[in-house]
Amino acid sequence: MLSDVDVFASDWRRAGHEAPPTAALSMQELDPPDHTPVRRLFTTALRDQDLDAIAAFAVRDTAAVFEQLADTPSFDFTAEVARPVALQAVCRLLGVEPPPVAAFAELSDALVRGMDAGLLPEVLEPAMAARGRINALMAEWFTAHRRPGLLTQVLHGAGAAGAAGVTEDAVWNNVRVLFLAGFSTTVGAAANAVLALLEHPGALERLRDPALLDSGVEELLRYDGPVQGTTRACVETTEIDGVTVERGQLVLALFGAANRDPERFACPDELLLDRHPNRHLSLGWGPHACSGALLARIIIRALVQELLAAPAPPRLAAPPVRVPRATLRYPDRLPVTFQNAEPER
């Protein structure tokens, strides 16, 4: 379903649904041929960034945060580590000045909650208000002096938007999506990964083995991925496993369920850091795979590296707290400590 864009459309207009004009859609909501030049432009720009430098900065940022928190009785990993490190990383990738973390996280959370408007209509209005404030923030990027990064490249670099046949409006819309996806997906992936490591004694220590790091990151993503699913519109009547799907009907793919499919993964409910192969769907698949996937992997690696370098092993300080969401899954509060447990009396 994720790969067959001829039958299952990200652009629901192809299946008879109403949608905003093309200029208001991101590459996540477009199909070829409209999708192709936008995807090519951004894929090339991503590939041309100094990803090794971004990864090194992520390690440095994580180390600095952990140093500040080392002597505190406990801290909220999601708010105090995942969010600031992810925001710094995505802003470095784009080449823009990072906004204040807490204020931006509030806007991002409102937008994430807005994804569930089909289930909870009351979240739509706050989401639209947050989108307007984020658009205003991005409008400042247009006039501000920009550092080298993806935004400068897609607007002014070789093979930039104009030459690629992509309008400036489409560029800004896709930058907004990349900015938000890079932040929210990375925060969710990082918080889920750390929670999984803390809930499995010995798992973090095993990742000292460099041979396990790549497979371990992929397994952490599979075990508890942040993005729970996506929806496609059926373009022509087809059949899925004996069920007829009519043109115009919507099909929901649940990534979390697919990643625990026993026909695909041996021992699917176990965290196996050396799992291979591991073709999970935590960050999507095919031409519309999550645009935040790159940063999620970079940040998880940085977190593992710095958790292993901490003077004391991290542990849960209290149970995690979750706000129910249908689209993104991660602990909104993840209390962690580097302090040793009090000895039993």
Side-chain angles (χ1 to χ4, degrees):
M1 190 193 90
L2 299 178
S3 301
D4 191 350
V5 295
D6 291 335
V7 177
F8 298 104
S10 291
D11 185 345
W12 293 6
R13 295 172 302 175
R14 295 176 50 224
H17 292 264
E18 292 186 4
T22 301
L25 297 174
S26 76
M27 57 185 167
Q28 299 298 331
E29 301 155 311
L30 292 172
D31 293 320
D34 297 322
H35 175 272
T36 305
V38 181
R39 184 77 180 189
R40 184 183 299 119
L41 174 68
F42 279 85
T43 299
T44 301
L46 276 168
R47 189 168 54 240
D48 289 346
Q49 303 312 303
D50 189 347
L51 301 179
D52 289 339
I54 291 172
F57 274 117
V59 170
R60 188 200 69 182
D61 292 343
T62 305
V65 173
F66 282 165
E67 184 177 356
Q68 294 173 357
L69 298 171
D71 296 327
T72 60
S74 68
F75 57 91
D76 178 0
F77 178 88
T78 302
E80 298 179 70
V81 182
R83 286 173 179 160
V85 172
L87 186 58
Q88 286 283 352
V90 72
C91 287
R92 281 197 184 95
L93 177 68
L94 293 176
V96 298
E97 191 68 25
V101 178
F104 178 73
E106 184 177 343
L107 296 177
S108 175
D109 187 62
L111 274 176
V112 167
R113 295 277 289 165
M115 297 179 188
D116 298 340
L119 298 172
L120 300 169
E122 64 271 20
V123 303
L124 181 59
E125 186 174 343
M128 296 307 294
R131 178 171 176 158
R133 292 172 64 185
I134 290 174
N135 284 343
L137 167 67
M138 292 181 57
E140 296 175 7
W141 294 350
F142 187 80
T143 56
H145 174 71
R146 289 188 293 274
R147 299 171 290 188
L150 184 144
L151 181 56
T152 295
Q153 179 165 338
V154 296
L155 286 174
H156 306 297
V166 179
T167 66
E168 191 170 281
D169 284 344
V171 166
W172 283 102
N173 193 54
N174 282 279
V175 166
R176 184 185 67 248
V177 171
L178 180 61
F179 181 42
L180 294 169
F183 176 74
S184 60
T185 303
T186 299
V187 169
N192 286 349
V194 169
L195 177 58
L197 290 171
L198 298 182
E199 290 182 331
H200 291 79
L204 177 62
E205 190 63 26
R206 287 193 66 202
L207 290 177
R208 288 191 187 277
D209 181 354
L212 284 181
L213 187 54
D214 287 341
S215 63
V217 168
E218 294 307 313
E219 176 65 351
L220 290 166
L221 286 167
R222 180 205 70 88
Y223 184 78
D224 193 2
V227 183
Q228 290 305 286
T230 190
T231 303
R232 298 285 189 267
C234 185
V235 176
E236 59 186 54
T237 300
T238 188
E239 188 175 285
I240 302 177
D241 197 25
V243 177
T244 298
V245 183
E246 303 288 349
R247 170 177 166 79
Q249 289 186 320
L250 302 181
V251 182
L252 173 64
L254 296 176
F255 298 154
N259 287 342
R260 298 294 183 97
D261 182 354
E263 294 186 9
R264 172 65 70 174
F265 301 99
C267 307
D269 296 329
E270 295 182 21
L271 183 70
L272 304 178
L273 297 175
D274 58 352
R275 186 183 295 277
H276 184 79
N278 193 353
R279 295 181 66 182
H280 62 78
L281 300 180
S282 292
L283 299 171
W285 194 267
H288 298 93
C290 178
S291 51
L294 178 70
L295 280 179
R297 290 182 168 95
I298 287 174
I299 298 303
I300 292 174
R301 289 176 68 97
L303 289 169
V304 167
Q305 180 175 329
E306 291 308 308
L307 285 171
L308 287 169
R315 62 182 182 86
L316 281 173
V321 177
R322 298 181 185 272
V323 174
R325 281 186 296 267
T327 306
L328 280 183
R329 168 187 164 82
Y330 63 89
D332 294 78
R333 291 191 66 252
L334 181 56
V336 175
T337 182
F338 287 120
Q339 307 297 309
N340 293 322
E342 291 292 331
E344 294 183 5
R345 297 183 179 181

